[in-house]
Amino acid sequence: MRAKASNEVKLEFPSHSSNEGFARGAVACFAAQMDPTLNELEDIKTAVSEAVTNAIIHAYPDTIGKVSLKLRICPGNTLELTVRDRGRGIPDVERARQPMFTTGGEERSGMGFTIMESFMDRLTIRSVQGKGTTVVMKKKLSVRSRR
């Protein structure tokens, strides 16, 4: 069962590489209401950057498509981030999750999913070839005392 969000926002943008920075900034602004630590905020921004970059590079290698970003504040001070594309999909998700595996050529590190997994508490990847990929990440943020 899906937890009820106390706040959420949905964004959609073309898969231009310049929009990766936009996604990072949007996530940082939305997450700020949860009063994250600087380290938590950097982890969140890095994870969303990897997910959006994957959509831009791998989902739409020869065309410009749409990337959607959904941000939710869930119970337990948990931030949920969903990055979705309607691109070519991932043929083998388990293989794609392995460190150093890439379909993006020699200039790609193949560490995107590994980085997302290390910076977030939970990572779920659903993909259907020819229909796209959905990446859902969750991070429980510390509750800091208010002064």
Side-chain angles (χ1 to χ4, degrees), residues 8-12 69-71:
E8 68 179 59
V9 66
K10 297 176 188 177
L11 305 166
E12 185 175 80
L69 176 62
K70 184 175 181 181
L71 312 168

Side-chain angles (χ1 to χ4, degrees), residues 29-141:
C29 288
F30 185 81
Q33 66 191 293
M34 299 176 74
D35 196 26
T37 66
L38 288 176
N39 286 339
E40 288 171 334
L41 194 56
E42 286 304 313
D43 289 353
I44 293 163
K45 287 168 44 180
T46 299
V48 81
S49 177
E50 292 294 333
V52 168
T53 297
N54 275 357
I56 291 168
I57 299 292
H58 300 291
Y60 307 109
D62 302 318
T63 187
I64 299 298
K66 296 288 184 191
V67 177
S68 64
L69 176 62
K70 184 175 181 181
L71 312 168
R72 301 175 73 232
I73 298 174
C74 299
N77 214 41
T78 300
L79 179 64
E80 179 182 276
L81 306 101
T82 303
V83 177
R84 174 177 288 149
D85 66 68
R86 302 283 184 213
R88 65 182 184 175
I90 302 170
D92 185 343
V93 171
E94 288 310 309
R95 186 169 181 214
R97 289 182 81 147
Q98 297 303 309
M100 307 305 288
F101 176 80
T102 185
T103 59
E106 289 183 21
E107 70 278 359
R108 312 301 323 166
S109 71
M111 295 297 291
F113 288 135
T114 302
I115 291 168
M116 287 179 240
E117 200 161 34
S118 68
F119 288 146
M120 302 301 279
D121 296 323
R122 186 165 185 212
L123 173 67
T124 305
I125 305 160
R126 294 183 308 272
S127 190
V128 176
Q129 282 195 273
K131 297 195 182 231
T133 301
T134 301
V135 174
V136 180
M137 301 176 282
K138 293 183 180 183
K139 185 162 186 78
K140 182 174 175 57
L141 303 181

